[in-house]
Amino acid sequence: QLQLVESGGALVQPGGSLRLSCAASGSTLDDSAIGWFRQAPGKEPEGVSCISSSGGSTNYADFVKGRFTMSRDNAKNTVYLQMNALKPEDTAVYYCAVDGGFFSSCHGPSTRRTDYRGQGTQVTVSS
């Protein structure tokens, strides 16, 4: 059974940077696209970015383009989200997810489904 664990969230000032990690266990991620999602209080979850199984294709939501970079290290079974120029509106719980179909490609800046997801890590951007 695939398990995902996120880490790296913190309180950061506007304009600051964070790097989130999503480590997988129980199964390899080599063949699966992976997405980062976020959910702010009182709001619906939204796709932030997605990376294909090979890492050759990465998609971003418009609201993070140019600021966030997603990458993966299949040898470590881990994906990352480098977040720069953070804004207060980036405040949310961030989590990674994999579609249970284990598709190799993304569906825009997200996966089609989030059958496997972690508990999330809190990112708070505030002065």
Side-chain angles (χ1 to χ4, degrees):
Q1 180 82 0
L2 176 64
Q3 293 185 324
L4 302 170
V5 178
E6 303 89 346
S7 62
L11 170 63
V12 62
Q13 292 187 341
S17 298
L18 284 174
R19 188 175 84 151
L20 306 184
S21 298
C22 168
S25 62
S27 180
T28 180
L29 291 176
D30 290 5
D31 299 325
S32 302
I34 305 166
W36 278 103
F37 298 78
R38 71 185 188 184
Q39 186 169 19
K43 294 188 177 181
E44 292 293 315
E46 54 186 359
V48 174
S49 65
C50 182
I51 191 166
S52 63
S53 59
S54 67
S57 176
T58 310
N59 301 327
Y60 299 93
D62 288 343
F63 51 80
V64 303
K65 279 182 181 177
R67 301 188 297 124
F68 291 11
T69 302
M70 187 175 183
S71 60
R72 66 189 297 162
D73 185 339
N74 285 348
K76 295 182 178 179
N77 232 18
T78 301
V79 297
Y80 306 96
L81 184 66
Q82 177 67 43
M83 305 188 296
N84 298 328
L86 283 162
K87 305 175 181 180
E89 51 263 43
D90 294 319
T91 296
V93 174
Y94 286 72
Y95 59 93
C96 55
V98 173
D99 188 312
F102 301 103
F103 300 107
S104 60
S105 60
C106 296
H107 184 66
S110 68
T111 55
R112 289 171 179 79
R113 291 167 40 158
T114 58
D115 299 298
Y116 298 93
R117 55 161 290 181
Q119 292 294 317
T121 186
Q122 177 69 46
V123 172
T124 302
V125 185
S126 175
S127 55

